[in-house]
């Protein structure tokens, strides 16, 4: 957990002010998403910043990173994190295979179709 806490402090500094939307920080934020997955941690604010940077810079969009963000948000149900993240992904990217599958799983959970989910 030490690596996550160290990265959280660094990312917290990046997310303040105008640097939040600096595309040069995207690689750091993407590594932070991977660290969250590895260390079973979660930082919604940083993940939303990644999705917002993808909106501003569609050429930098990473399907794998977006899938990890959605999965982390899915684990935070019944909070609205998943819906918030989903709304920040354009329709074309929502049709990509891993993202489409995660969105389907989210729909099953949100509509209480637990047997179908499992």
């Amino acid at each position: 957990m030490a690596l996550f806490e160290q990265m959280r402090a660094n990312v917290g500094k990046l997310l303040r002010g105008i640097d939040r939307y600096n595309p040069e920080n995207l690689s750091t934020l993407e590594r932070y998403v991977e660290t969250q997955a590895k260390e079973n941690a979660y930082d919604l604010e940083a993940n939303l910043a990644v999705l917002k940077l993808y909106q501003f810079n569609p050429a930098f969009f990473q399907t794998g990173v977006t899938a990890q963000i959605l999965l982390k948000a899915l684990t935070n149900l019944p909070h609205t994190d998943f819906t918030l993240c989903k709304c920040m992904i354009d329709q074309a990217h929502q049709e990509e295979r891993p993202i489409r599958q995660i969105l389907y799983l989210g729909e099953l959970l949100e509509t209480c179709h637990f047997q179908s989910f499992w």
Side-chain angles (χ1 to χ4, degrees), residues 62-81:
Q62 297 288 325
T63 303
V65 173
T66 303
Q68 287 179 327
I69 290 171
L70 286 172
L71 287 171
K72 292 304 285 184
L74 194 60
T75 64
N76 205 33
L77 281 173
H79 298 284
T80 59
D81 299 8

Side-chain angles (χ1 to χ4, degrees), residues 49-93:
V50 171
L51 295 175
K52 181 57 78 175
L53 280 166
Y54 288 160
Q55 284 181 327
F56 290 153
N57 307 281
F60 296 140
F61 185 86
Q62 297 288 325
T63 303
V65 173
T66 303
Q68 287 179 327
I69 290 171
L70 286 172
L71 287 171
K72 292 304 285 184
L74 194 60
T75 64
N76 205 33
L77 281 173
H79 298 284
T80 59
D81 299 8
F82 183 75
T83 302
L84 182 58
C85 291
K86 177 174 67 172
C87 290
M88 294 183 72
I89 303 167
D90 68 38
Q91 188 64 37
H93 287 112

Side-chain angles (χ1 to χ4, degrees), residues 2-110:
L3 177 61
F4 172 75
E5 293 302 328
Q6 181 182 6
M7 287 191 80
R8 175 177 237 158
N10 291 337
V11 167
K13 293 175 188 172
L14 289 178
L15 295 179
R16 290 191 206 111
I18 196 76
D19 263 350
R20 175 185 202 102
Y21 303 112
N22 184 346
E24 292 176 10
N25 295 328
L26 193 53
S27 62
T28 301
L29 292 170
E30 289 169 339
R31 280 194 311 274
Y32 185 52
V33 170
E34 291 173 15
T35 302
Q36 290 176 57
K38 289 177 186 171
E39 299 202 13
N40 197 23
Y42 182 59
D43 187 339
L44 176 63
E45 184 179 355
N47 295 347
L48 291 174
V50 171
L51 295 175
K52 181 57 78 175
L53 280 166
Y54 288 160
Q55 284 181 327
F56 290 153
N57 307 281
F60 296 140
F61 185 86
Q62 297 288 325
T63 303
V65 173
T66 303
Q68 287 179 327
I69 290 171
L70 286 172
L71 287 171
K72 292 304 285 184
L74 194 60
T75 64
N76 205 33
L77 281 173
H79 298 284
T80 59
D81 299 8
F82 183 75
T83 302
L84 182 58
C85 291
K86 177 174 67 172
C87 290
M88 294 183 72
I89 303 167
D90 68 38
Q91 188 64 37
H93 287 112
Q94 286 187 18
E95 298 300 323
E96 293 178 13
R97 188 159 198 266
I99 294 173
R100 185 181 67 231
Q101 290 173 321
I102 296 166
L103 294 177
Y104 175 68
L105 291 174
E107 181 181 326
L108 289 175
L109 288 176
E110 289 176 333

